[in-house]
Amino acid sequence: MDLISIIIVISGIIALLFAGYLILKIRKESPGSEKMQEISKAIHEGATAFLYSENKILVIFVSAVTIILLAVSFIPNSNMHWGTALAFIIGAILSILSGNIGMRIATLSNARTAEGAKTSINKGLSVAFSSGAVMGICVVGLGVLGVFGMFLFFSEILHYAVNVTTNILFGFGFGASSVALFARVGGGIYTKSADVGADLVGKVEENIPEDDPRNPAVIADLVGDNVGDVAGMGADLYESYVESIIAPMALAAIAGGIALQTYGSNAIILPLTIAAIGIFSSIIGTFFVRTGKKSNVYSAMRNGLFASTILVGIFAGVATWYLLDGNMGPYFAILAGLIAGIVIGLNTEYFASEKQKPVKAIAEAAKTGPATVIIQGLVSGMMSTLIPVLSVVVAMIISYYFAEFYGVAIAAVGMLSVLGISLATDCYGPVADNAAGIAEMSGMGHEVRERAEALDAVGNTTAAMGKGFAIGSAAITALALISSFIVSLTIHYTPEQILDFLSLGSSTSPYLVAGIFIGAMLPFIFIALTMGAVGRAAFSMVEEVRYQFKELKLLTDPDAKPDYKRCVSISTKRALREMIVPGLLAVLSPVIVGVVFGFLGPKGSGIAALGGLLIGSIATGFLLAIFLANAGGAWDNAKKYIEAGNLGGKGSPAHKATVIGDTVGDPCKDTSGPSLNILIKLMSVVTLVFLPIFVMFG
Amino acid sequence: MDLISIIIVISGIIALLFAGYLILKIRKESPGSEKMQEISKAIHEGATAFLYSENKILVIFVSAVTIILLAVSFIPNSNMHWGTALAFIIGAILSILSGNIGMRIATLSNARTAEGAKTSINKGLSVAFSSGAVMGICVVGLGVLGVFGMFLFFSEILHYAVNVTTNILFGFGFGASSVALFARVGGGIYTKSADVGADLVGKVEENIPEDDPRNPAVIADLVGDNVGDVAGMGADLYESYVESIIAPMALAAIAGGIALQTYGSNAIILPLTIAAIGIFSSIIGTFFVRTGKKSNVYSAMRNGLFASTILVGIFAGVATWYLLDGNMGPYFAILAGLIAGIVIGLNTEYFASEKQKPVKAIAEAAKTGPATVIIQGLVSGMMSTLIPVLSVVVAMIISYYFAEFYGVAIAAVGMLSVLGISLATDCYGPVADNAAGIAEMSGMGHEVRERAEALDAVGNTTAAMGKGFAIGSAAITALALISSFIVSLTIHYTPEQILDFLSLGSSTSPYLVAGIFIGAMLPFIFIALTMGAVGRAAFSMVEEVRYQFKELKLLTDPDAKPDYKRCVSISTKRALREMIVPGLLAVLSPVIVGVVFGFLGPKGSGIAALGGLLIGSIATGFLLAIFLANAGGAWDNAKKYIEAGNLGGKGSPAHKATVIGDTVGDPCKDTSGPSLNILIKLMSVVTLVFLPIFVMFG
């Protein structure tokens, strides 16, 4: 192995070792009183049970797709390799693993964070952040090792040509992607049906506080934080991460491609090298967070992120210079991606921050009731799309200017290189949220509860930034995959044909436009399906909670015990049932569009429709994801702003109006919005994997 | 003049004569009691004052643009003709006229409709529908006469070549379009700020009924129906109508274009011929409405629309056969457009009908409060995009299959040919709404009020269908304009260059993608601006109404008189101030994108970005317009469904929840949604008018 390969492997191993070290450190912390351990155990069991049931469904799905992939690979001239099926399975397994590790460590840390908060806010922060860091570092470690492992296996052991190998890697991305979709959608439906169900009956109808142990849905709600915000987010970003690495690799490996001619074969290994640099930088960045003083825990986290960003900015330059013989074009693309990621994150933070105008405007609107709260939230959510879109557009144009399609693809690597630490700050949130719940349920007293809530509040801001980052990276990863799609066409068609198929000015133009229209529509349908699913699942939960309150006399009989497990089981069953249709929609849409339009129109119509489908879905998927995340975050924080004592404080009519806004925002920001990230990437990678089939249909 | 020209001119003249006959008929009806006349007069004065102030601003805007167009036409090699400036002015004037006529006749008919309802529902219907018919028939008459007049002026009197003449006609479209934008946005802000302001203080805070004469904003609210729903809608559809006619004319006139070669020069006159057939069919269709029995007023209107559609379907075939020597390709495109329009209308009706699942589901959701009402409305609004998108896609592909880009352009003519009657059923609604208000305010008693409300309820369904039709026709007209844009490029570039510029696979690809992203974003920003404007304007109104209630003791002192004029003046001022920014955004966006990207990138980047901008904005503009219209309509009717006595009826918690939904839906369906129709057409026509300039920048 050469030096670079060794560095890449070491980065992955160090990531896993560092995560192991953090786990040991967390384990050493006191898990708190017996009561706390009991609650934590119930959460852990609920989460594990959900993931177990989910995985059973995933096994069926993964097996079915594997059989299809293998079957296709045996069709003569299908151009699909059996390795794609193998890579698909590995990708799916590693994605499941990422989500599971994150969930396990989060349920390990929640009670310990609450117990830590007994000592000081900073102690609680340290435990919660370590838990997030395990997740972040594991995801990047497994990402680099997974992609590089598959690459070595096919190219070094089986001696396949690099372009065949990198093409097989899309199977890996497909595996990661499809698992991520189910994890995101299922987890998102789970968490919000439990949350809405618990709140509507407990807080609104019965007037008992959040996380009150008498509420039978409270454990399901806490489980939801783990399966949705942790496991779902982990799988989502694992997918973005590996696909952003695979796309430029595949692009660079295409024989006769411009990237290979300009930069040489090292361009294939550059993305993994940048990822390795990102891992080291992220680990170093976590130490910056540790030095944070009590007074500014949040800016400590931000410092950690900025430190990592600067380190990547420097060493990515060195690596590019070394690997590409001083040809620095792709480096500028990496920088563009890196900066765009930060800008999108800051934009999200601005729109979700209680200190800024948008959230305050929503709180002000609460004076005239819930309707104006909703309208104002829609307004600021829509307005918040401006900066992210311009950032992505500028990053894309700069990247293309410096390194054509390879530049666009590697810009995504730049953006995602700091994932290790940005995911850490993001996954910190649900752990703090759980800790606050455990503090309330186990009766740890006012002070601990307040500290835990302070940690949770910081978590909301970091989560907002994390969400912005997840959306931005999904969009730029999807653009990277589209770039691969366009360049991959050179394997099957002449340059003139490609130009013709994908042009608004040619005879396939109506198919391109049809693809754009259908692609632009799919995110709307996807939102309708997932949001409707939350509504239906929450309705079942409301009925169950109402029934238990009444039949078990939970609020009147002090000896009554709520049946948490029934609520957990309702969330589990409904989430799993409701995730099937949106999941299949995402996987099947490109297949149907590619085959039907290819069959209907003149030669190239299917390709045109697919190109349109992808770009249309990315455009509106990106916009709607930002809109939903920022509107949802702003509604949430407008409520918190009033709860902090402004405009009449808790219990005032203005507060009630913002509670309604928050309830509307919940499925927006935690179910439908995040699911769109996967939709746009999954459709792109499905298109890439099945491209050989689409080519056969014209 | 040849036979066809004579038929076209006669159709326009007959339309105006028929409208005149209807006006005389309406005038003959009794205007009701003195009190009713007084209210009607106040509404008329408010509406006239608003349109007068609006027109003053429009004169400034039109003059400025005219000067710019003239200045550009004097730049050597700019390829812009001075006639464009003249056509622009005429287009603007005719558009203003369309809106004004509609508004005048609507304010003439409102009291007469209420008075008619004293006799019977059917009598009231007859007056209100006649008023709508005047508007519909005037719009198509002025449309055909305007376009054909300009065409004759330049080609017959000044003897310009037809391709120069038709190109000048885009100036006419631009004039109609820019006036329509201000009318739609200004009228939309006016109507909803008054409505929301009146409801929030009157119905919610003070618990007085809708249209209570003690509410100082009630006249402003009634004025709003006229300036928004009538004048705005009229200008909007006048624009769609003339642009749908101009686009295929221009396309057919391009020297060396495929349409000219295949179908000969008669293809230029075919769109106007179809429009003339549509006028005759619409007039005949109105007689079908008259025969409607009392029991099924609504299906009578639908019968009228279907009758006109069938007539156009038959005679368009005859005309195509006659003009194109038996070459029936374009006829199938016309049929595809016609059918797509009907399907989109029916889809909107389904999603807004109280008898169907979507509205009932929202009403059911009201049982768990306003948050679930909002969520369910978002779900059904998003789901409602499916059928319209597929309809447009199928119509586009069929049209292109049969007659290439000319087919896509003439499909829009097919869809809009029945505008005369579909606009009649649509503009009937606001008149019925006004009549119900006048009945309430003048104390005409329970029975008349109920009848007027029954008329209003039918108006809501027809308005929903009309809105669907307006959106669908805007999308297909915009596609027609894009087709013209693509074909117009042949004047400046070689076919290879056009293919290259507009391809995802070429070096201008990032600019095309950037254009798509920015285009897809603009409707979001546009919604944020217009919805925010309603919020701000409504807030001023709320303050004024609260102030008057308190200071003038309106609810306690029986002699107190509300100051309606102050409310009218607030709506007027705020609407006019708030319409400027969104208006300029729409006009300037294509200019900025075309020039900046053209300047920045390689040759063709500006063209690529413009192509992307247009297609991106049409895709999301279309989707968001359907979403907003249908979510808004469904919220409105869910409230009405409960008010009809279901789920607890008026005053129940479920009713209160749906009132909140309705308030959120108001700016969605009556301000932001409809404005998007103009945005997408206006950006396309601006691109076409300034194409010579963009070409100069590369």
Side-chain angles (χ1 to χ4, degrees), chain A residues 670-691:
Chain A
D670 294 326
T671 310
S672 302
S675 307
L676 294 176
N677 299 346
I678 323 257
L679 178 75
I680 59 180
K681 289 175 290 182
L682 181 54
M683 295 212 305
S684 305
V685 82
V686 167
T687 305
L688 277 162
V689 168
F690 288 101
L691 188 58

Side-chain angles (χ1 to χ4, degrees), chain A residues 19 82 99 125 138 159 199 278 320 375 427 438 442 518 520 535 635 646 651 653 657:
Chain A
W82 62 265
L125 166 84
C138 270
H159 295 290
D199 284 1
T320 311
I375 291 174
C427 287
I438 292 174
S442 61
I518 294 173
W635 277 318
N646 299 297

Side-chain angles (χ1 to χ4, degrees), chain B residues 260-516:
Chain B
L260 192 65
Q261 288 169 21
T262 317
Y263 309 116
S265 63
N266 274 346
I268 302 167
I269 214 71
L270 180 63
L272 276 165
T273 314
I274 304 295
I277 291 170
I279 291 180
F280 294 124
S281 305
S282 293
I283 292 176
I284 295 169
T286 60
F287 291 102
F288 279 79
V289 178
R290 265 136 221 281
T291 58
K293 294 276 156 52
K294 188 180 177 177
S295 53
N296 50 2
V297 287
Y298 168 61
S299 59
M301 281 197 209
R302 232 164 83 161
N303 288 344
L305 182 59
F306 287 153
S308 306
T309 304
I310 290 166
L311 287 172
V312 171
I314 294 166
F315 288 101
V318 177
T320 311
W321 182 81
Y322 173 75
L323 281 173
L324 306 189
D325 282 333
N327 202 328
M328 297 301 276
Y331 174 60
F332 298 116
I334 292 167
L335 282 188
L338 202 55
I339 293 168
I342 300 283
V343 172
I344 293 172
L346 291 177
N347 178 70
T348 311
E349 195 191 314
Y350 171 79
F351 277 92
S353 164
E354 297 160 45
K355 293 188 193 103
Q356 305 294 344
K357 239 176 91 183
V359 168
K360 282 187 184 162
I362 295 175
E364 283 289 325
K367 287 199 262 178
T368 39
T372 36
V373 166
I374 302 292
I375 291 175
Q376 195 57 42
L378 297 176
V379 168
S380 77
M382 298 233 170
M383 203 43 117
S384 74
T385 58
L386 184 68
I387 300 291
V389 167
L390 294 184
S391 307
V392 166
V393 162
V394 169
M396 179 183 62
I397 287 180
I398 290 177
S399 307
Y400 189 89
Y401 176 78
F402 282 109
E404 304 214 351
F405 286 117
Y406 180 72
V408 176
I410 207 159
V413 179
M415 191 184 271
L416 280 151
S417 57
V418 290
L419 180 65
I421 185 146
S422 78
L423 194 53
T425 55
D426 193 31
C427 287
Y428 150 91
V431 176
D433 194 349
N434 256 244
I438 291 174
E440 172 77 25
M441 286 187 72
S442 60
M444 287 177 76
H446 190 66
E447 202 188 3
V448 179
R449 169 79 195 175
E450 270 203 345
R451 282 186 192 154
E453 271 182 359
L455 289 176
D456 188 16
V458 175
N460 268 313
T461 317
T462 57
M465 208 171 160
K467 254 172 206 139
F469 185 79
I471 297 166
S473 60
I476 198 111
T477 302
L479 282 177
L481 292 169
I482 283 209
S483 304
S484 291
F485 166 72
I486 294 168
V487 178
S488 294
L489 290 174
T490 54
I491 300 166
H492 308 282
Y493 302 105
T494 66
E496 290 73 28
Q497 281 181 313
I498 298 170
L499 210 60
D500 188 57
F501 294 166
L502 295 179
S503 179
L504 283 172
S506 74
S507 64
T508 50
S509 166
Y511 297 91
L512 179 63
V513 174
I516 292 175

